[in-house]
Amino acid sequence: MPATSALNVAKPLTLPCGVTVKNRFYKSAMNEALAGRDCAPTEEHVKLYHRWAMGGAGVLVTGNVMVDRTQLGEPGNVAIEDERDLNMLRRWAKAGTCNGAHCWMQINHPGRQSPATINPHPYAPSAGALDGDYARFFAPPRELTVAQIHDIVRRFAATSGIAKKAGFTGVEIHAAHGYLINQFLSPLDNRRTDEYGGSLENRARFLFEVVAAVREAVGPKFPVAVKINSSDVPIAAKVNAPDGVPGGFDEEESIWVIQRLADMGVDLIDISGGTLEKPVIQTTTGAKEDERRGVYFTAFAQRIKGMVDTPIALTGGFRSASDMETALESGITQMIGIARPLVVRPNLPNLIMYGNWRAPVRLPWVTTGIKALDKAFGGVLVISWFELQMNRIGRGKEPDPRIGGMRALLFVLKQHGMGALAPRRRKGHQ
Ligand SMILES: Cc1cc2nc3c(=O)[nH]c(=O)nc-3n(C[C@H](O)[C@H](O)[C@H](O)COP(=O)(O)O)c2cc1C
């Protein structure tokens, strides 16, 4: 294997805080679902991240780590409120930073997007039950008081400080996919009339306070990234109705927030998005869908090109080296955000950079073989399949693409009980 590669994706990148990452592969956050009821990291986390680090990516972002163990987004989440798990965190960070990789902890609070099976008492910017098919899976949230909002800001900072102390080399604040920060940004979810609701400036206040507190906790030379939706407008709706759904957090608002984040000295903006009727990772169609859709959010990335100096990680749909090279060459992104393909091929970065690998990664069509079951568990099915594969890697095994959907469902049922079969994200979000 040659030691160097002429590809753009192999080039290092220096972030605003002065830190240099060795290449442009940005392993996007995936909830590993490997923690037990104690929400602590495990040996499987250590093995999984060692494998990914050895696979060559420049940055590994962890699955979302929650700031409050009573408020989980999915079964198997890690939660960090204090230093009780510092030793295990140190081992996780060490594994994720071997081979010159960066390992950044993604930090999150689910807000109302916390299934009733694991959280009967969720909080949100505003009270009010959900509408739609998934409503029964989520308990109606209580409205956060201002004191509780301040406490959550403090928690984001505390978790970030512990991540740094444990040896993680950066943090990513999760402001996308319909979780708490995204709920504050959204005028549909946030109907507050105080300083945290109403105007965009007010709705973004919580995010900006989190970013400022996290920066204060980790200092100026530590990478702080933010994952944000290009808009909450569903991808499916965008295709059908380019103007999108009125009233949501839209592209104009997202651009304003991104510019402000750039002014605040954020080191990287990870661009993602939500969907409405068909959340993007909740379909079962694998490679076929990928071929149709291509790289996600490229139009938005084109829109913001040149508007901010902050590096961008465009995330979703990258399956081939040629798409990655094109995106980097065109300047719409500086990092390649990539999630599911790295579960199927943990060493994809090395294969592309040094192994002359040029074929697209083909994601499987995950099916139980029974149409009604596929329909009933569509979203959970795909997530479960990827969780099963991460679990295999965490136990030192190879991912096995031949494993079917039924086994994936039985696996999560065994791991996490009936709660695992509830939708992980409310309809409308990735
Ligand atoms: C099993 C699984 C878990 C995920 N968990 C997270 C998460 O914890 N935080 C997050 O921001 N995105 C999460 N995502 C979304 C991915 O980071 C990414 O945005 C999405 O999969 C699209 O990228 P891809 O097409 O390269 O897979 C998850 C995706 C999968 C498949």
Side-chain angles (χ1 to χ4, degrees):
M1 201 180 270
T4 56
S5 165
L7 295 174
N8 287 310
V9 83
K11 292 183 180 145
L13 178 73
T14 300
L15 302 169
C17 66
V19 161
T20 299
V21 297
K22 68 176 181 176
N23 62 45
R24 307 304 178 95
F25 286 99
Y26 190 80
K27 183 244 148 222
S28 292
M30 275 177 284
N31 177 44
E32 307 85 7
L34 289 172
R37 281 181 198 281
D38 59 357
C39 299
T42 59
E43 287 298 332
E44 284 83 9
H45 284 97
V46 176
K47 270 217 177 83
L48 175 61
Y49 279 78
H50 183 263
R51 182 79 192 271
W52 269 327
M54 294 311 290
V59 178
L60 307 178
V61 183
T62 69
N64 56 181
V65 167
M66 299 297 164
V67 299
D68 182 341
R69 66 189 58 237
T70 70
Q71 304 293 312
L72 303 181
E74 304 103 0
N77 279 158
V78 172
I80 299 171
E81 303 174 357
D82 51 39
E83 297 188 7
R84 76 183 82 172
D85 296 316
L86 196 58
N87 283 342
M88 226 27 228
L89 284 170
R90 283 196 164 120
R91 295 195 46 220
W92 183 9
K94 192 170 173 214
T97 52
C98 70
N99 194 27
H102 266 261
C103 189
W104 298 359
M105 184 184 285
Q106 188 186 58
I107 303 181
N108 194 17
H109 186 300
R112 69 191 303 165
Q113 205 162 263
S114 181
T117 42
I118 51 175
N119 182 9
H121 303 297
Y123 287 95
S126 304
L130 283 175
D131 295 330
D133 301 356
Y134 285 180
R136 70 182 190 280
F137 294 108
F138 297 89
R142 286 171 291 182
E143 178 172 311
L144 286 162
T145 64
V146 169
Q148 285 172 321
I149 293 173
H150 292 167
D151 179 59
I152 296 174
V153 171
R154 182 198 58 74
R155 283 172 180 273
F156 269 89
T159 304
S160 301
I162 295 167
K164 184 178 177 189
K165 185 168 178 182
F168 288 88
T169 53
V171 289
E172 179 175 87
I173 297 162
H174 198 348
H177 299 175
Y179 293 107
L180 184 63
I181 299 179
N182 197 173
Q183 289 159 32
F184 268 93
L185 291 171
S186 162
L188 298 177
D189 282 331
N190 180 351
R191 296 178 302 281
R192 299 178 74 94
T193 52
D194 61 7
E195 68 270 35
Y196 290 99
S199 67
L200 177 56
E201 179 129 25
N202 279 356
R203 282 180 276 125
R205 190 178 307 280
F206 177 58
L207 168 61
F208 297 152
E209 286 182 359
V210 167
V211 170
V214 166
R215 176 59 82 198
E216 175 83 22
V218 298
K221 294 187 180 142
F222 193 79
V224 175
V226 174
K227 187 165 186 174
I228 191 163
N229 277 2
S230 52
S231 81
D232 294 347
V233 175
I235 296 157
K238 258 194 207 167
V239 173
N240 300 328
D243 291 340
V245 174
F249 178 67
D250 63 20
E251 288 196 359
E252 299 306 322
E253 294 195 331
S254 181
I255 289 170
W256 183 86
V257 172
I258 287 170
Q259 284 173 322
R260 289 285 300 272
L261 291 172
D263 294 343
M264 290 180 81
V266 159
D267 290 289
L268 180 136
I269 310 278
D270 182 357
I271 302 286
S272 194
T275 68
L276 191 65
E277 291 314 311
K278 229 177 185 185
V280 70
I281 56 169
Q282 302 209 346
T283 58
T284 57
T285 47
K288 266 205 190 121
E289 182 189 330
D290 285 339
E291 279 158 25
R292 185 173 53 77
R293 286 188 52 193
V295 177
Y296 311 166
F297 316 117
T298 43
F300 180 76
Q302 248 142 14
R303 263 193 89 178
I304 61 167
K305 183 182 161 188
M307 280 188 185
V308 290
D309 292 332
T310 310
I312 301 293
L314 186 59
T315 295
F318 280 109
R319 304 291 178 258
S320 70
S322 63
D323 279 350
M324 298 174 195
E325 286 302 288
T326 306
L328 290 170
E329 255 159 41
S330 71
I332 59 168
T333 191
Q334 285 69 50
M335 296 288 290
I336 301 296
I338 178 167
R340 285 164 292 175
L342 289 178
V343 177
V344 180
R345 290 202 181 274
N347 63 340
L348 184 67
N350 279 341
L351 286 174
I352 289 176
M353 288 187 293
Y354 311 119
N356 207 24
W357 177 282
R358 296 296 175 264
V361 174
R362 291 180 64 80
L363 296 183
W365 174 48
V366 182
T367 175
T368 59
I370 302 168
K371 254 194 187 156
L373 272 186
D374 285 1
K375 196 157 178 263
F377 293 110
V380 175
L381 190 56
V382 174
I383 299 273
S384 305
W385 192 89
F386 283 94
E387 287 178 0
L388 181 153
Q389 303 293 353
M390 285 189 276
N391 185 286
R392 284 180 68 84
I393 304 170
R395 285 182 290 116
K397 295 185 169 182
E398 289 300 312
D400 183 352
R402 292 164 310 177
I403 288 175
M406 192 65 94
R407 232 174 104 188
L409 285 182
L410 291 174
F411 164 79
V412 292
L413 204 58
K414 191 167 154 229
Q415 289 287 107
H416 305 294
M418 286 304 281
L421 298 183
R424 307 299 171 80
R425 291 157 183 82
R426 66 200 161 103
K427 230 173 189 171
H429 294 280
Q430 219 177 36

